[in-house]
Amino acid sequence: MDAAEVVEGVVDHLLHVSYDERTVLRLTTTAGDEESITAVGKALFGVQPGASVRLCGAWVDHQRHGRQFKAERCERTMPADERAIRLYLASGMIRGIGPVLASAIVDAFGEQSLKIIDAEPQQLLEVHGIGQVRLGRIAAAWQEQKAIAEIMVFLQGLQITPALAVKIYTAYADTDDDPMRIVRRTPYQLCREVYGVGFHNADKIALAVGIPKHSDARLQAALLHELDQAGASGHCHLPVRVLIARTRHLLTDDDPATAEILDDAVLRHALQTLQAQGEVVTETLPLPVRDGSDTLADTEIALLPHRHRDETQLAVHVRRLLGSTPSLAELAPWAEYLSALTSQETAGLTDEQHQAILTALTSPLSVLTGGPGCGKTHTLRTLVEIADEAGAVVALAAPTGKAAKRLEQTCGQAAMTVHRLIRPPDGDSLFDHASALETADLVVIDEASMLDLALARRLFAAVRDGCHLLLVGDTDQLPSVAPGRVLRDLLDVEDIPRTRLTKVFRQHDDSAAIVINAHRILRGELPADDPKAFWNRPLSSSEDIAQRVVDVVCERMPKYFKARPEDIQVLCPGKKNIAGMTDLNLRLQERLNPPSNDKPQHYHGGTAFRRGDRVQQVRNNPHRGEAGIFNGSSGTITALDVETHQLTVTFPDGETADYPFTDLDELVHAYALTVHRSQGSEYPYVVIPMVNAAGMMLLQRNLLYTAVTRARNGVMLIGQSEAVQRAVANNHTQRRNTALTHRITHAEDAVLAPRSQAPSGQLAWG
């Protein structure tokens, strides 16, 4: 390797960004003669086309790609010459200036263009196409960029991406707080208030500005970070001893003095301070001991206030519904009626199905569970048909849009997402979804294993006394993405009526192998090949697996099954490594939606977003779109405007939502998804890459079972046979820390807000 050198230039375009953030780009040098070079390195991650940069590194000779500059450090600079300024303005970094206007400005002012925009913006009125309104937008956008640049320059030495500088500025742009002051004086505030910053980045900033390692702010931020991370793993709380141990591990370094500041007493004092400030709740509850037995032991736990509120209020509402008078119970002699059913649609019910319907019609709260092929669909269809004939009002919902659509097709009447069902009416909306809950006699929630703690609390709180609530789900599937394991916790409460369907009906269609293999996996048996619907394709190399997945999705399945690529969903055990979600999304996007001159695109954090991309929302945002966009919603980018810094996503139900470029961390590409992110959805074909690199934490039986049961017509497993064997054999799933069962069992009468008792309607047996 040659001696370290410095290269300055303008980024022309990105050639490649790999799953591990290694970036390859083309750069035109500006110092000396103009030369187009290739630069590589992780330090380039997040760099945008049009950016002026100073790279520090060395030249290397790549065996295949020739001479490249390997960047170890990347600094942003302001463009100096005319060509750099033209590229900078044309890149869309200044909102209100696109390629055409950029050329016009540089043609008029040359190398003085940026000085004119900064110091004498009124001169821009001389440029054709710029009036007072556009001038105001450009001036405001320039000031915004200057503020962002100040933050960016400060952060770049800490290896913090430019995208986070934009997020920090945007978070405080409309407030009285100065973003740069917060960065320098109270950086731990960032990890609480700015989505995406996180503790590690805030800690880098804090230590750089001189905040001591033993500061109360640091210890408190670390404790909150560990509680937040526990939520990301599905836990509602952590035992205090575990929280302190994890925090100590997080902050431990090579400094001998660190041990003193991480003493139990010091960390407990920081936790007590958080409790006094109302930022953490601690309590002691009798909870299960993790020894596989039913033993309970008093455990001191810590949890965030909103999770404590959700869990305690959900418990109260569960008890409220269990104690309410069911409105349908006295409507008809249900047992006699069900026994007399003779129609083709309702005859032939098993005893289990018969019991499930009877329980739903006579109990204010009940659960129906069972695996694929066990008759849940037929049971639900029959239940809705009987309730309709009685004149009862039935409301159907599921956690995701795709699951709601499938429920609608199953039952023959409208269904919606749970979020829409419980969302309060907003003004004079033409579609007052909240009215469904006020008039419903029976609410059916399908795919209830996806209900997380927060959503379940809102649902149960919205169901009025007397209304029947039926939860339908498969407890063998993965639990919700967000904290909680609501369905399992409810089933642990003996007072809640439930029916488990166990009989697997003989499958007569071409996809029977999917159901058969799903049950084989549950029994700990390897899935078997089937020429019509289930295929195993063993490969040993992760790179070969990734290439085969792309080939199957883009060429083979569309050719042999006349399926569109959008009918084929890749489901990965995890995000990282070759053949993980991130890697396969990059590869599939390159094949299915490559860049072109007529297709606008924007890079965010090293990821290119283009018109036509399949994307998925990764966090709840009730303010996005007309009715909110929620975690797991999938759609397609239908518009992208580099001048206004915004793109538009259209969802399957026709709803659209606009996303400013600063909010693109709410989206991930959806050509490949993790199995967790596929819950509640069904796809014609599913391709599952299996690699040992995913690790035992992800290669689990319920994960493979969930992936297989997402397919309607066919499943293809591509990968290492050992990975499949490990997944099938690994039935030791991580138990989530929840206290819902205990809270329901010991829920005391609480004073709830007065509830409207809407009449259930005049029911008459038709």
Side-chain angles (χ1 to χ4, degrees):
M1 182 179 291
D2 299 335
E5 294 190 42
V6 174
V7 170
E8 294 187 18
V10 178
V11 178
D12 290 320
H13 57 278
L14 303 189
L15 296 173
H16 179 68
V17 181
S18 65
Y19 70 92
D20 59 357
E21 300 183 357
R22 179 177 177 273
T23 301
V24 184
L25 56 78
R26 293 294 290 178
L27 182 84
T28 299
T29 59
T30 53
D33 295 335
E34 285 192 3
E35 180 186 4
S36 181
I37 67 169
T38 299
V40 301
K42 288 188 176 183
L44 305 177
F45 181 74
V47 172
Q48 293 265 21
S52 292
V53 295
R54 180 184 296 113
L55 308 182
C56 180
W59 290 97
V60 296
D61 289 315
H62 191 277
Q63 183 177 3
R64 180 177 175 186
H65 300 294
R67 189 168 172 80
Q68 301 177 336
F69 190 80
K70 185 176 181 181
E72 299 296 337
R73 191 170 72 249
C74 174
E75 299 176 358
R76 274 67 179 177
T77 62
M78 288 304 293
D81 62 21
E82 187 172 313
R83 179 184 178 280
I85 293 171
R86 189 184 301 271
L87 284 171
Y88 174 74
L89 293 178
S91 70
M93 287 190 174
I94 307 301
R95 190 164 53 246
I97 301 178
V100 174
L101 199 56
S103 293
I105 292 172
V106 178
D107 288 345
F109 304 110
E111 292 185 0
Q112 300 300 309
S113 296
L114 297 185
K115 292 181 180 179
I116 294 295
I117 295 173
D118 184 39
E120 302 177 69
Q122 288 296 322
Q123 289 194 42
L124 294 177
L125 293 173
E126 301 172 14
V127 178
H128 177 71
I130 298 181
Q132 286 291 349
V133 174
R134 175 164 280 187
L135 175 63
R137 289 202 301 264
I138 292 173
W142 175 257
Q143 294 304 317
E144 176 183 302
Q145 278 299 310
K146 285 180 64 177
I148 292 172
E150 181 186 7
I151 301 172
M152 194 179 295
V153 169
F154 176 75
L155 297 181
Q156 65 186 7
L158 304 176
Q159 303 300 308
I160 295 176
T161 64
L164 279 187
V166 178
K167 292 286 291 183
I168 291 168
Y169 173 82
T170 304
Y172 301 105
D174 297 326
T175 70
D176 294 332
D177 290 322
D178 176 13
M180 199 64 218
R181 183 192 64 80
I182 294 173
V183 168
R184 290 186 176 276
R185 296 186 183 180
T186 57
Y188 291 112
Q189 183 178 338
L190 299 174
C191 59
R192 304 185 195 187
E193 298 178 353
V194 183
Y195 177 77
V197 172
F199 173 79
H200 293 287
N201 284 323
D203 200 40
K204 284 183 185 178
I205 298 170
L207 297 178
V209 299
I211 294 177
K213 290 195 294 184
H214 62 274
S215 69
D216 289 342
R218 185 172 190 245
L219 299 183
Q220 291 167 21
L223 287 163
L224 290 173
H225 168 76
E226 287 300 334
L227 285 177
D228 194 56
Q229 288 298 106
S233 299
H235 299 299
C236 298
H237 67 257
L238 281 179
V240 168
R241 58 179 177 76
V242 174
L243 172 60
I244 289 177
R246 290 187 180 184
T247 304
R248 182 183 298 109
H249 178 75
L250 172 69
L251 299 178
T252 297
D253 55 25
D254 296 329
D255 185 352
T258 299
E260 297 179 12
I261 67 173
L262 299 181
D263 180 77
D264 271 14
V266 175
L267 291 174
R268 278 189 171 272
H269 180 266
L271 182 61
Q272 289 167 0
T273 302
L274 287 172
Q275 184 180 10
Q277 294 170 348
E279 296 184 73
V280 170
V281 176
T282 62
E283 57 186 333
T284 300
L285 299 176
L287 297 175
V289 178
R290 293 190 170 207
D291 60 0
S293 69
D294 296 328
T295 305
L296 299 179
D298 285 346
T299 307
E300 185 184 13
I301 65 172
L303 64 167
L304 297 174
H306 66 275
R307 291 184 190 140
H308 181 264
R309 175 205 65 198
D310 288 340
E311 203 167 56
T312 54
Q313 290 189 8
L314 175 55
V316 170
H317 286 294
V318 169
R319 297 304 310 186
R320 173 180 62 81
L321 291 181
L322 282 174
S324 65
T325 302
S327 61
L328 295 178
E330 303 301 325
L331 178 64
W334 294 113
E336 291 83 350
Y337 177 77
L338 287 172
S339 300
L341 290 177
T342 57
S343 72
Q344 184 175 358
E345 280 295 313
T346 56
L349 292 172
T350 65
D351 290 342
E352 293 172 338
Q353 292 172 313
H354 183 285
Q355 184 59 48
I357 295 172
L358 184 61
T359 301
L361 293 171
T362 57
S363 301
L365 174 62
S366 61
V367 176
L368 170 61
T369 184
C374 290
K376 293 196 301 294
T377 297
H378 180 48
T379 305
L380 279 183
R381 187 187 302 118
T382 305
L383 170 63
V384 172
E385 178 182 308
I386 292 171
D388 283 343
E389 287 182 9
V393 178
V394 181
L396 304 176
T400 66
K402 287 186 177 180
K405 189 68 175 177
R406 192 166 67 251
L407 180 61
E408 183 174 300
Q409 295 168 347
T410 294
C411 297
Q413 73 172 55
M416 65 187 77
T417 64
V418 176
H419 290 98
R420 285 183 176 271
L421 178 70
I422 62 182
R423 189 173 187 268
D426 184 14
D428 297 325
S429 172
L430 292 176
F431 302 98
D432 186 356
H433 298 299
S435 64
L437 279 177
E438 293 301 329
T439 60
D441 301 293
L442 171 64
V443 175
V444 177
I445 306 297
D446 199 12
E447 296 287 355
S449 61
M450 293 181 62
L451 288 175
D452 59 74
L453 184 65
L455 183 58
R457 191 267 302 172
R458 293 178 59 208
L459 169 66
F460 275 70
V463 176
R464 61 182 176 80
D465 290 349
C467 180
H468 294 231
L469 176 61
L470 171 64
L471 303 179
V472 184
D474 183 351
T475 54
D476 291 314
Q477 291 187 21
L478 291 170
S480 59
V481 175
R485 46 166 225 162
V486 173
L487 188 61
R488 282 186 174 272
D489 284 345
L490 291 176
L491 288 172
D492 285 340
V493 178
E494 294 181 0
D495 291 348
I496 297 178
R498 82 286 309 276
T499 306
R500 181 175 180 87
L501 303 180
T502 58
K503 179 180 178 180
V504 181
F505 291 89
R506 184 180 299 276
Q507 308 295 310
H508 299 289
D509 57 15
D510 290 344
S511 61
I514 298 174
V515 172
I516 293 171
N517 277 320
H519 285 281
R520 287 179 64 90
I521 292 168
L522 280 183
R523 295 193 298 268
E525 302 171 9
L526 291 173
D529 261 7
D530 178 87
K532 294 181 179 179
F534 206 102
W535 311 277
N536 284 285
R537 295 295 181 266
L539 290 171
S540 57
S541 161
S542 295
E543 180 62 31
D544 289 345
I545 292 167
Q547 292 180 10
R548 177 66 67 87
V549 168
V550 173
D551 184 47
V552 164
V553 172
C554 301
E555 301 290 342
R556 299 194 184 197
M557 276 191 164
K559 177 180 178 180
Y560 290 108
F561 299 106
K562 297 181 180 178
R564 302 170 301 168
E566 52 265 39
D567 294 329
I568 307 163
Q569 184 62 56
V570 178
L571 298 181
C572 308
K575 298 179 183 178
K576 300 178 181 178
N577 304 309
I578 296 176
M581 185 189 87
T582 304
D583 177 48
L584 287 173
N585 266 322
L586 290 167
R587 296 173 188 252
L588 288 165
Q589 182 197 35
E590 191 65 24
R591 285 284 296 274
L592 296 173
N593 193 29
S596 64
N597 293 332
D598 63 344
K599 190 182 297 179
Q601 66 179 14
H602 174 76
Y603 279 89
H604 181 83
T607 299
F609 287 89
R610 303 182 186 120
R611 189 179 66 240
D613 275 339
R614 290 156 56 185
V615 292
Q616 186 181 73
Q617 179 86 5
V618 296
R619 69 183 181 110
N620 294 335
N621 189 334
H623 307 296
R624 180 81 61 209
E626 291 186 6
I629 305 298
F630 297 92
N631 193 353
S633 301
S634 297
T636 302
I637 297 176
T638 50
L640 190 151
D641 192 326
V642 295
E643 188 169 322
T644 61
H645 287 207
Q646 179 175 276
L647 61 77
T648 301
V649 177
T650 300
F651 296 91
D653 60 1
E655 182 177 358
T656 62
D658 295 327
Y659 291 77
F661 287 169
T662 53
D663 290 348
L664 293 185
D665 51 4
E666 290 186 15
L667 296 174
V668 295
H669 285 96
Y671 301 101
L673 295 172
T674 61
V675 179
H676 265 103
R677 295 218 147 270
S678 72
Q679 288 174 264
S681 297
E682 184 181 73
Y683 313 96
Y685 296 93
V686 165
V687 176
I688 309 171
M690 298 293 290
V691 291
N692 284 318
M696 289 300 289
M697 290 294 290
L698 294 175
L699 294 176
Q700 296 176 347
R701 185 182 301 176
N702 64 344
L703 182 137
L704 181 57
Y705 169 79
T706 301
V708 167
T709 54
R710 298 306 89 203
R712 184 167 64 248
N713 299 333
V715 174
M716 181 173 287
L717 292 180
I718 301 176
Q720 296 160 343
S721 299
E722 183 185 351
V724 179
Q725 294 167 3
R726 290 172 69 185
V728 171
N730 182 11
N731 199 31
H732 301 290
T733 56
Q734 182 188 37
R735 181 182 176 89
R736 293 187 168 188
N737 293 331
T738 69
L740 180 59
T741 299
H742 167 80
R743 296 189 195 279
I744 294 172
T745 306
H746 297 85
E748 298 178 357
D749 292 337
V751 178
L752 299 174
R755 306 183 52 79
S756 59
Q757 291 291 336
S760 60
Q762 187 66 36
L763 298 179
W765 189 257

